[in-house]
Amino acid sequence: MINANRLLKHLQDLSQIGRNELTGGINRFSFTPEEQQTIELVTSYMEEAGMTITVDAVGNVIGTYGEGSETIMLGSHIDTVPEGG
């Protein structure tokens, strides 16, 4: 079951990294300190959920549960376009 309060807190925390206070947009470009900070925060959430984490050379965060032939895969971006939201 999804913990709505925890999910909202995680999204609010993530929305602060790279935030432009003047416009409200978010600037987290690839290979920047802001992206690295976000990767660290996301991996901490995934580790709390019991996942094994790997990060590849271009910053893709991969979380897995256990071993076996059945896999669930979800994707999203940690970086943003200029003034993303």
Side-chain angles (χ1 to χ4, degrees):
M1 175 160 275
I2 295 173
N3 180 322
N5 291 329
R6 180 180 59 207
L7 175 60
L8 181 59
K9 169 106 172 62
H10 286 179
L11 292 172
Q12 288 171 335
D13 291 347
L14 288 166
S15 75
Q16 297 308 303
I17 302 172
R19 176 171 292 285
N20 179 329
E21 294 299 327
L22 295 175
T23 65
I26 299 171
N27 295 294
R28 272 194 313 258
F29 306 125
S30 298
F31 308 108
T32 62
E34 292 80 14
E35 184 192 38
Q36 183 59 42
Q37 182 181 358
T38 306
I39 288 170
E40 291 169 7
L41 186 56
V42 168
T43 57
S44 75
Y45 296 155
M46 294 168 82
E47 287 170 342
E48 287 173 13
M51 293 180 170
T52 300
I53 309 303
T54 55
V55 180
D56 70 14
V58 294
N60 293 307
V61 179
I62 302 149
T64 58
Y65 284 114
E67 297 178 23
S69 61
E70 295 184 20
T71 302
I72 296 174
M73 182 175 180
L74 304 172
S76 186
H77 290 268
I78 291 176
D79 60 343
T80 68
V81 297
E83 296 298 312

mmCIF file of all heavy atoms in Angstrom, residues 55-72:
data_model
loop_
_atom_site.group_PDB
_atom_site.id
_atom_site.type_symbol
_atom_site.label_atom_id
_atom_site.label_comp_id
_atom_site.label_asym_id
_atom_site.label_seq_id
_atom_site.Cartn_x
_atom_site.Cartn_y
_atom_site.Cartn_z
ATOM 1 N N VAL A 55 24.181 2.663 -9.530
ATOM 2 C CA VAL A 55 24.113 3.881 -10.341
ATOM 3 C C VAL A 55 25.135 3.703 -11.452
ATOM 4 O O VAL A 55 26.307 3.448 -11.185
ATOM 5 C CB VAL A 55 24.428 5.146 -9.506
ATOM 6 C CG1 VAL A 55 24.351 6.397 -10.370
ATOM 7 C CG2 VAL A 55 23.480 5.254 -8.310
ATOM 8 N N ASP A 56 24.692 3.832 -12.704
ATOM 9 C CA ASP A 56 25.615 3.624 -13.806
ATOM 10 C C ASP A 56 26.403 4.894 -14.126
ATOM 11 O O ASP A 56 26.258 5.921 -13.448
ATOM 12 C CB ASP A 56 24.900 3.052 -15.035
ATOM 13 C CG ASP A 56 23.954 4.029 -15.718
ATOM 14 O OD1 ASP A 56 23.998 5.241 -15.435
ATOM 15 O OD2 ASP A 56 23.160 3.564 -16.566
ATOM 16 N N ALA A 57 27.240 4.825 -15.147
ATOM 17 C CA ALA A 57 28.172 5.911 -15.471
ATOM 18 C C ALA A 57 27.483 7.214 -15.858
ATOM 19 O O ALA A 57 28.075 8.283 -15.734
ATOM 20 C CB ALA A 57 29.107 5.469 -16.594
ATOM 21 N N VAL A 58 26.243 7.147 -16.321
ATOM 22 C CA VAL A 58 25.547 8.368 -16.710
ATOM 23 C C VAL A 58 24.489 8.798 -15.694
ATOM 24 O O VAL A 58 23.677 9.683 -15.959
ATOM 25 C CB VAL A 58 24.932 8.265 -18.127
ATOM 26 C CG1 VAL A 58 26.021 8.154 -19.177
ATOM 27 C CG2 VAL A 58 23.947 7.130 -18.225
ATOM 28 N N GLY A 59 24.497 8.163 -14.525
ATOM 29 C CA GLY A 59 23.625 8.597 -13.442
ATOM 30 C C GLY A 59 22.268 7.929 -13.373
ATOM 31 O O GLY A 59 21.422 8.352 -12.589
ATOM 32 N N ASN A 60 22.051 6.881 -14.168
ATOM 33 C CA ASN A 60 20.806 6.130 -14.040
ATOM 34 C C ASN A 60 20.824 5.373 -12.719
ATOM 35 O O ASN A 60 21.793 4.680 -12.411
ATOM 36 C CB ASN A 60 20.625 5.138 -15.190
ATOM 37 C CG ASN A 60 20.426 5.834 -16.506
ATOM 38 O OD1 ASN A 60 19.557 6.689 -16.640
ATOM 39 N ND2 ASN A 60 21.232 5.489 -17.491
ATOM 40 N N VAL A 61 19.765 5.503 -11.947
ATOM 41 C CA VAL A 61 19.646 4.823 -10.667
ATOM 42 C C VAL A 61 18.803 3.578 -10.885
ATOM 43 O O VAL A 61 17.681 3.662 -11.387
ATOM 44 C CB VAL A 61 18.989 5.736 -9.611
ATOM 45 C CG1 VAL A 61 18.854 5.015 -8.291
ATOM 46 C CG2 VAL A 61 19.777 7.023 -9.447
ATOM 47 N N ILE A 62 19.348 2.439 -10.490
ATOM 48 C CA ILE A 62 18.672 1.168 -10.704
ATOM 49 C C ILE A 62 18.477 0.502 -9.347
ATOM 50 O O ILE A 62 19.437 0.286 -8.609
ATOM 51 C CB ILE A 62 19.496 0.257 -11.631
ATOM 52 C CG1 ILE A 62 19.726 0.976 -12.965
ATOM 53 C CG2 ILE A 62 18.826 -1.097 -11.821
ATOM 54 C CD1 ILE A 62 20.997 0.630 -13.647
ATOM 55 N N GLY A 63 17.226 0.210 -9.026
ATOM 56 C CA GLY A 63 16.918 -0.459 -7.771
ATOM 57 C C GLY A 63 16.291 -1.804 -8.045
ATOM 58 O O GLY A 63 15.430 -1.929 -8.905
ATOM 59 N N THR A 64 16.742 -2.829 -7.316
ATOM 60 C CA THR A 64 16.189 -4.167 -7.496
ATOM 61 C C THR A 64 15.822 -4.768 -6.150
ATOM 62 O O THR A 64 16.408 -4.435 -5.123
ATOM 63 C CB THR A 64 17.188 -5.104 -8.207
ATOM 64 O OG1 THR A 64 18.393 -5.154 -7.445
ATOM 65 C CG2 THR A 64 17.511 -4.617 -9.603
ATOM 66 N N TYR A 65 14.822 -5.619 -6.195
ATOM 67 C CA TYR A 65 14.428 -6.436 -5.053
ATOM 68 C C TYR A 65 14.798 -7.875 -5.356
ATOM 69 O O TYR A 65 14.363 -8.414 -6.372
ATOM 70 C CB TYR A 65 12.918 -6.395 -4.836
ATOM 71 C CG TYR A 65 12.366 -5.150 -4.219
ATOM 72 C CD1 TYR A 65 11.537 -4.315 -4.942
ATOM 73 C CD2 TYR A 65 12.639 -4.823 -2.899
ATOM 74 C CE1 TYR A 65 10.986 -3.178 -4.370
ATOM 75 C CE2 TYR A 65 12.103 -3.693 -2.320
ATOM 76 C CZ TYR A 65 11.269 -2.883 -3.062
ATOM 77 O OH TYR A 65 10.738 -1.758 -2.497
ATOM 78 N N GLY A 66 15.551 -8.500 -4.482
ATOM 79 C CA GLY A 66 15.819 -9.928 -4.597
ATOM 80 C C GLY A 66 16.399 -10.344 -5.926
ATOM 81 O O GLY A 66 17.027 -9.562 -6.620
ATOM 82 N N GLU A 67 16.171 -11.603 -6.241
ATOM 83 C CA GLU A 67 16.653 -12.168 -7.496
ATOM 84 C C GLU A 67 15.529 -12.987 -8.106
ATOM 85 O O GLU A 67 14.611 -13.403 -7.424
ATOM 86 C CB GLU A 67 17.853 -13.065 -7.241
ATOM 87 C CG GLU A 67 19.047 -12.321 -6.665
ATOM 88 C CD GLU A 67 20.211 -13.236 -6.375
ATOM 89 O OE1 GLU A 67 20.307 -14.312 -6.977
ATOM 90 O OE2 GLU A 67 21.026 -12.871 -5.529
ATOM 91 N N GLY A 68 15.595 -13.221 -9.378
ATOM 92 C CA GLY A 68 14.580 -14.048 -10.002
ATOM 93 C C GLY A 68 14.237 -13.592 -11.389
ATOM 94 O O GLY A 68 14.807 -12.636 -11.919
ATOM 95 N N SER A 69 13.270 -14.266 -11.975
ATOM 96 C CA SER A 69 12.924 -14.006 -13.363
ATOM 97 C C SER A 69 11.849 -12.944 -13.531
ATOM 98 O O SER A 69 11.644 -12.437 -14.624
ATOM 99 C CB SER A 69 12.466 -15.301 -14.030
ATOM 100 O OG SER A 69 11.313 -15.788 -13.362
ATOM 101 N N GLU A 70 11.137 -12.589 -12.452
ATOM 102 C CA GLU A 70 10.099 -11.571 -12.548
ATOM 103 C C GLU A 70 10.655 -10.229 -12.121
ATOM 104 O O GLU A 70 11.269 -10.103 -11.063
ATOM 105 C CB GLU A 70 8.902 -11.949 -11.681
ATOM 106 C CG GLU A 70 8.211 -13.198 -12.175
ATOM 107 C CD GLU A 70 6.965 -13.517 -11.388
ATOM 108 O OE1 GLU A 70 6.421 -12.608 -10.731
ATOM 109 O OE2 GLU A 70 6.548 -14.679 -11.437
ATOM 110 N N THR A 71 10.450 -9.227 -12.951
ATOM 111 C CA THR A 71 11.013 -7.901 -12.703
ATOM 112 C C THR A 71 9.935 -6.847 -12.896
ATOM 113 O O THR A 71 9.130 -6.947 -13.811
ATOM 114 C CB THR A 71 12.167 -7.613 -13.681
ATOM 115 O OG1 THR A 71 13.149 -8.626 -13.535
ATOM 116 C CG2 THR A 71 12.790 -6.260 -13.422
ATOM 117 N N ILE A 72 9.954 -5.866 -12.037
ATOM 118 C CA ILE A 72 9.125 -4.679 -12.214
ATOM 119 C C ILE A 72 10.075 -3.545 -12.534
ATOM 120 O O ILE A 72 11.065 -3.336 -11.838
ATOM 121 C CB ILE A 72 8.322 -4.339 -10.950
ATOM 122 C CG1 ILE A 72 7.339 -5.459 -10.634
ATOM 123 C CG2 ILE A 72 7.599 -3.007 -11.113
ATOM 124 C CD1 ILE A 72 6.612 -5.294 -9.338
#
